Amino acid sequence: MSWDQYLDTLASYAVQGTESHLDFGAIIGTNGAKWTTDASARALKITPDQAVAIGNALDKKDFSSFQNGGIKIADVQYMYLRNDDSGDGVTVFGKKKDQGSVVLQSTKTAIVIGHCPEGKQQGICAVAVGKICDYLSSNGM
């Protein structure tokens, strides 16, 4: 199974009734290496530099760059809202008016990123991201 297939699973976890609360996602390593590709229809097209910046921030639990300059993913700069400790890692929340919101959650070796469309519930997106992280953590990742 390629990592891109995890994006479909991620999206399926964010469906409530007939509505999806997650449209795009990505999985990167805590070292910033991209695990998913941009080829998937569900790919959140994060640049290599953005992946490294996100990997460093979540791995070191240092969110000053997010607090000062936002969370940059693809062509959007999301406002950093908050972070929460989540077991092995941390969960970070961001939002951009009219662009939706993002949830980033880390495990020992991976960071799962979910994008929630504008007007949908970021909390449901966060639960979906958490389920993928739980699965990765249960496999030592």
Side-chain angles (χ1 to χ4, degrees):
M1 183 167 157
S2 81
W3 287 106
D4 287 354
Q5 292 172 309
Y6 281 82
L7 298 180
D8 291 328
T9 304
L10 175 64
S12 74
Y13 289 153
V15 174
Q16 187 174 60
T18 59
E19 292 192 63
S20 178
H21 297 269
L22 183 146
D23 53 1
F24 301 108
I27 303 174
I28 63 175
T30 53
N31 62 356
K34 290 176 67 170
W35 291 11
T36 53
T37 70
D38 291 345
S40 169
R42 294 226 179 256
L44 187 57
K45 292 174 175 54
I46 185 170
T47 68
D49 288 344
Q50 292 167 346
V52 168
I54 289 168
N56 285 336
L58 271 73
D59 189 44
K60 295 175 182 169
K61 296 184 180 182
D62 176 5
F63 308 109
S64 57
S65 63
F66 293 166
Q67 292 164 341
N68 295 326
I71 306 164
K72 296 175 183 142
I73 300 175
D75 294 329
V76 181
Q77 184 172 332
Y78 297 90
M79 180 176 65
Y80 167 83
L81 298 176
R82 72 178 197 280
N83 63 275
D84 297 325
D85 285 333
S86 54
D88 290 335
V90 66
T91 305
V92 173
F93 298 87
K95 172 93 174 111
K96 171 82 173 181
K97 184 171 173 52
D98 299 326
Q99 298 291 318
S101 58
V102 289
V103 177
L104 304 84
Q105 186 172 332
S106 64
T107 66
K108 288 184 214 173
T109 61
I111 298 168
V112 179
I113 305 168
H115 178 268
C116 179
E118 184 69 21
K120 302 298 180 188
Q121 295 181 31
Q122 188 180 36
I124 295 171
C125 179
V127 169
V129 167
K131 285 182 180 182
I132 296 293
C133 286
D134 288 346
Y135 174 77
L136 295 174
S137 291
S138 73
N139 285 285
M141 303 171 102

